[in-house]
Amino acid sequence: MSKCRYCNSTSYGSGCSYSPHKKHEHTDDERKCEFCGSSSYGSGCSYSPTHKHRHGHGANKCIWCRSASSGSGCSYSPNRVHEK
């Protein structure tokens, strides 16, 4: 079961008193959004500070779009760069 990196809770969304933005972050599953648990990519995450889904690290894929690419060109990343 995935847990918040700040408080060890299994909850998603608001309510993490240890997080800098008061949202739970689950960074241990590359298949799910860190903030809401969705498998979606791009905009639409109401819990993310950027309102974009950001997945956990792993599988050597971009956390914003799941591409294996590196460098610029990620249309979902706030800074347009693929991050792994």
Side-chain angles (χ1 to χ4, degrees):
M1 177 133 271
S2 182
K3 294 187 178 183
C4 175
R5 70 185 245 182
Y6 294 107
C7 70
N8 227 21
S9 169
T10 57
S11 297
Y12 285 92
S14 302
C16 181
S17 56
Y18 300 110
S19 165
H21 43 72
K22 306 301 181 210
K23 312 274 186 190
H24 295 287
E25 285 185 41
H26 296 247
T27 59
D28 56 352
D29 191 346
E30 73 274 359
R31 295 167 298 169
K32 294 181 180 178
C33 175
E34 295 180 1
F35 299 104
C36 70
S38 169
S39 61
S40 298
Y41 287 91
S43 60
C45 181
S46 57
Y47 297 131
S48 167
T50 63
H51 299 288
K52 294 184 178 189
H53 296 285
R54 183 176 78 193
H55 287 231
H57 299 277
N60 203 28
K61 304 282 185 177
C62 177
I63 60 175
W64 299 102
C65 70
R66 191 149 171 79
S67 169
S69 299
S70 296
S72 63
C74 180
S75 58
Y76 295 139
S77 168
N79 60 7
R80 302 290 187 220
V81 175
H82 294 286
E83 298 177 48
K84 296 182 180 177

